Amino acid sequence: MFKIDIKIAPSVLACDLSALADESIKVYEAGAHMLHLDVMDGHFVPNITFGAPVIKTLRKKLPILFDVHLMISKPYDYIKDFADAGADIITFHLEAESPAEETISLIKSFGKKVGISIKPNTPATEVFKYLPHIDMVLVMSVEPGFGGQSFIEGSIDKIREIRKEAARLGLDTDIQVDGGIDDKTVRLVSEAGANVFVAGSYIFKDDYKKAIDLLIKNAEEAKSL
Ligand code: DX5
Ligand code: ZN
């Protein structure tokens, strides 16, 4: 019924951050579809990464889609900063303090795509009512905060539920999955209906192109859409 494209989003959290621009260009040239930028505030999650100024300088270096994952307590207050910095997709957490409807509208007012993310303990049904109003759902398959954690199996059924509901509503919503994605787990989540795959530690090892190609191949083989 729908043609839902598989996309790979390397998370730069796992790269050599002292060479952020060069590393980003490398994954772009290796075939990544978007760059996943993990913003953490040390409050919503127990870790601090980078913010809009870093994204703004990186924006000048490469033309890839910027997929900004906000793990911050008050996303509404910072949407303008990230929009101005050059984000293409802005994803905020449903568990954050900002009202979801207003945050969706604000992101759209800047002409950006909207993603809503849920943590491992948040039921899939919580995002259902937002599906007609957003472009992407991000299902976290680890507790947000750190790269390199093990994949949580419970995320598979959540992806299945969201894909089923999106299909019921006639929507071709992107379903992104983030945390512990490698050449094996990508099959499980692709089969369940995810189509956008974030991977940090799996991609930023040695051969970026080989890793991205294998993720695409295995996701394509497993997909049920
Ligand atoms: C975790 C971040 C992820 C993380 C993924 O809070 O949202 O994007 O960098 O890293 P890996 O792929 O190593 O699990
Ligand atoms: Zn992320």
Side-chain angles (χ1 to χ4, degrees):
M1 77 181 157
F2 297 121
K3 168 91 182 77
I4 296 179
D5 293 329
I6 281 173
K7 293 168 221 164
I8 305 297
S11 164
V12 297
L13 205 55
C15 80
D16 173 0
L17 285 169
S18 73
L20 178 59
D22 289 345
E23 292 285 280
S24 302
I25 290 166
K26 275 190 204 165
V27 285
Y28 170 57
E29 289 176 349
H33 303 90
M34 55 178 87
L35 199 66
H36 187 79
L37 298 155
D38 287 308
V39 176
M40 305 186 190
D41 66 354
H43 187 258
F44 183 74
V45 289
N47 195 8
I48 300 175
T49 55
F50 46 79
V54 171
I55 293 174
K56 190 174 181 178
T57 57
L58 189 61
R59 180 70 286 177
K60 300 185 185 103
K61 305 282 185 181
L62 73 167
I64 197 170
L65 211 73
F66 274 16
D67 166 36
V68 176
H69 177 192
L70 298 178
M71 286 161 275
I72 64 178
S73 293
K74 297 186 175 178
Y76 184 92
D77 299 3
Y78 298 91
I79 297 304
K80 184 177 188 312
D81 290 355
F82 288 100
D84 289 348
D88 297 294
I89 306 168
I90 302 179
T91 298
F92 66 96
H93 271 266
L94 204 51
E95 304 88 354
E97 292 167 27
S98 302
E101 282 88 356
E102 282 90 331
T103 307
I104 292 169
S105 302
L106 186 60
I107 296 171
K108 284 184 177 172
S109 76
F110 292 107
K112 306 299 180 180
K113 290 198 167 175
V114 184
I116 287 188
S117 182
I118 50 170
K119 299 205 282 183
N121 290 331
T122 302
T125 48
E126 297 281 315
V127 297
F128 284 5
K129 70 173 174 175
Y130 302 108
L131 286 175
H133 312 293
I134 63 177
D135 302 283
M136 187 170 83
V137 176
L138 165 51
V139 176
M140 288 304 300
S141 43
V142 297
E143 279 301 330
F146 301 92
Q149 304 181 74
S150 301
F151 177 79
I152 296 173
E153 301 264 338
S155 57
I156 299 169
D157 283 342
K158 285 167 64 175
I159 290 165
R160 215 182 294 285
E161 279 180 70
I162 296 165
R163 178 57 74 202
K164 196 173 156 199
E165 179 64 8
R168 193 184 71 79
L169 296 169
L171 301 168
D172 57 356
T173 312
D174 279 327
I175 301 183
Q176 184 177 52
V177 61
D178 181 7
I181 297 300
D182 60 23
D183 55 328
K184 294 175 192 66
T185 53
V186 76
R187 287 182 182 275
L188 308 175
V189 292
S190 177
E191 193 279 326
N195 67 305
V196 186
F197 308 95
V198 177
S201 45
Y202 177 73
I203 291 177
F204 287 101
K205 277 186 298 199
D206 30 60
D207 190 335
Y208 302 171
K209 179 158 171 42
K210 198 172 154 197
I212 290 170
D213 285 349
L214 192 55
L215 287 175
I216 295 171
K217 177 177 171 284
N218 290 0
E220 288 283 0
E221 277 177 14
K223 77 174 177 183
S224 55
L225 297 164

